Every structure is written in structure tokens, then in C-alpha cells.
Amino acid sequence: MAQRISYLLLAGLLAAAHPALAQNLMAKAESHMPAPHVVSPDVQSLTVTQVLVRKSERRLYLLDHDEVVRQYPISLGDNPKGHKLYEGDERTPEGDYVLDWRNPGSDFHRSIHISYPNARDKELANAWGLDPGGSIMIHGLPNNAGDMAFAFAGLDWTDGCIAVNNKAIDEIWQLVPDGTPIRILP
């Protein structure tokens, strides 16, 4: 506990001068807050054939067939357990989808669309007389996060999307072409 408090105090002192170092210290202070992903220079040589998300692990994996080539910590919707059922439930969907288009000018630092809802999702929502929703994306932090970007790490804060830090979405954006399948597991 004393070490955790020391990390938090030191992170607060360093936040303005060295934000990356402060974020690393905050990650150490909170065991559920993973350290930020460092972008590797060899990104150009990687091939991604599928994206896998394990919600319970709060991880997104880029796969070349069965081999993990990159992985990132993620944040989910405010109500992360279970499959998305309807618009506004703040859940992240579970199942097989496709990353079908991207938006470089979104309210977040880049966003890649997940093809939710599929036919089954629509059927389930319609059975309850509800709208399944849509606009589920993988995206970076809010464009106005500024110096508070570190505060999003380790929190579930989206309305159902999958969020990563801005360096991660830049790398995902570069590596994952439109049409890539994505599997989202509980």
C-alpha cells in the first residue's frame, strides 16, 4: 500500500513535465491499470488476419492466423458484462463481426467501425421491441482528453465501444485493413 501511495504521489509531481512517465507510475499504482503499449518500429512487416477481443481480460489481440502479433489493453462500455441487447444499455457486443469502415474525423482519436448489429442481434432486440443500436467502434481517447488522457486507463467509460489509447489506435489503424473479421468474447 505504501508503495502504491508513493507511485501516485510521484506521478502527480511528474504529470506536467513527463506525462508518459507519470502514466507508467499510475499504472504501477493500480494493478488493474496496464502499462501503456509502446509502438514498435517493425509495424510495416506485420500481417493481421483477425482481431480478437477478450472482454474479461480487457485485451484486444491482433492475430496473423493463430499467432498473436500485437495486444493492447482496452476499456469497454460502462456496463461491460454480457452481450449488447439494445441501444443505450452501454454494453459491448459479443460475437463475430467485421471491421468494415473507419472514421478519421470522429469525436475520438480515430475510430474503426464494428459491423454490429448483425441479423441475430437485430432479431433479439426486435423480439423485445427494442432498437439494437449501432455505431460500435474501436477508437482512441476523446479528442478533448488532453493532459487527462492518463485518467482513462483501466476504466470502462465508453457507451459500448472498445477504446484503446491513442498510440494503440494509430498502430491498429495502420495494421488492420477494412474487411478484417473481429471476434468479441466475454
Side-chain angles (χ1 to χ4, degrees):
M1 181 66 150
Q3 186 176 21
R4 178 177 174 218
I5 292 170
S6 297
Y7 281 133
L8 288 171
L9 290 172
L10 189 55
L13 294 172
L14 290 173
H18 302 283
L21 182 56
Q23 187 175 4
N24 277 327
L25 289 170
M26 289 292 291
K28 288 179 181 178
E30 294 291 337
S31 61
H32 68 277
M33 290 175 56
H37 176 75
V38 177
V39 177
S40 170
D42 65 344
V43 173
Q44 301 273 344
S45 65
L46 297 177
T47 300
V48 175
T49 59
Q50 180 180 359
V51 176
L52 173 66
V53 173
R54 293 187 182 277
K55 290 171 50 174
S56 62
E57 295 175 12
R58 300 298 190 274
R59 301 297 281 181
L60 181 148
Y61 300 91
L62 302 184
L63 304 172
D64 181 359
H65 300 284
D66 292 333
E67 179 186 349
V68 175
V69 296
R70 286 286 189 271
Q71 59 179 295
Y72 310 92
I74 61 171
S75 296
L76 300 171
D78 288 328
N79 186 19
K81 292 193 181 198
H83 177 60
K84 183 166 191 61
L85 298 174
Y86 60 90
E87 184 172 22
D89 68 4
E90 297 192 341
R91 289 184 178 168
T92 302
E94 297 170 356
D96 293 320
Y97 303 95
V98 174
L99 299 172
D100 54 0
W101 54 270
R102 50 192 68 217
N103 182 1
S106 75
D107 291 338
F108 303 92
H109 182 68
R110 296 184 170 174
S111 60
I112 302 173
H113 185 256
I114 299 169
S115 64
Y116 173 88
N118 61 27
R120 174 114 171 93
D121 299 322
K122 291 175 186 174
E123 182 182 311
L124 288 171
N126 289 338
W128 288 91
L130 299 169
D131 181 346
S135 295
I136 302 297
M137 315 286 272
I138 299 171
H139 60 68
L141 299 177
N143 289 330
N144 62 357
D147 292 340
M148 294 305 295
F150 73 92
F152 290 88
L155 300 176
D156 289 326
W157 57 271
T158 76
D159 290 336
C161 293
I162 299 166
V164 294
N165 68 40
N166 290 348
K167 286 182 182 178
I169 194 63
D170 286 343
E171 190 170 288
I172 295 165
W173 186 274
Q174 185 177 0
L175 288 171
V176 179
D178 290 349
T180 301
I182 180 170
R183 175 169 285 171
I184 305 171
L185 299 175

